[in-house]
Amino acid sequence: MIHLHVFTEESSAGIVFNSLLPAILPESVTFSVYSHQGKEDLKKALTTTVPSLSKIPGARILITQDQDNDDCTLVKKQLSNLLNTTCHSPFLIRVICRELESWFLGDLSALEAIFPRVRPEKYRGTQKFRNVDDIKKPSMMLLSIIPDYKGRTYLPKLELSQKIAPVLKYENNSSVSFRHVVSGIKKLIAEDFATPSTTNR
């Protein structure tokens, strides 16, 4: 039996994966999600938690981290260097471009379902929303389009994840990053999956 172990950078991402995975995975595949307190805490887990988990028969390891303002290729290389020496099972790295909140911008219908005053028609097809992964500060964009958060300085990320995760669809999301994560999960749980080279992850 395959068991998918998902490591996330923060609790808000963990909430999303716990909601999405039951819709993506077949019943024969089980999963666990491990949330961390930032990038350094996540990296520490790759040397302390991953080694033992990856020795369990059927284990698959998925590592996710926000790109933020970092170089995507460099982030993957750094994580790969850690996993290549600590992970004993097939693994995959997915860098979220640029933040988890890009995924929410990629599903405006989900936002509208939670916040009825959001008007998706104002944004669909506009230049900024043609590729939501290119929006440098997705969290600030969400602050500007969700009337319920008007006047706030910072987006309540955990609160928003808890609200939107149950209605976020894994199909037809306009975030390329989101779609790559979903397709990566489906490949990772395949019986014949082999960890790809660093350049192809």
Side-chain angles (χ1 to χ4, degrees), residues 19 104 107-120 142 145-149 156 158-169:
S19 182
F104 303 161
D107 190 347
L108 291 172
S109 295
L111 279 175
E112 184 184 26
I114 301 301
F115 303 103
R117 290 193 292 165
V118 171
R119 292 291 178 261
L142 284 165
I145 71 172
I146 299 176
D148 305 60
Y149 290 152
L158 195 61
E159 173 189 303
L160 181 58
S161 290
Q162 290 170 334
K163 288 181 176 181
I164 199 171
V167 296
L168 192 68
K169 300 294 189 297

Side-chain angles (χ1 to χ4, degrees), residues 6 11-23 31-35 165:
V6 180
S11 297
S12 54
I15 290 170
V16 171
F17 277 107
N18 272 310
S19 182
L20 279 174
L21 288 174
F31 71 92
S32 299
V33 178
Y34 310 85
S35 300

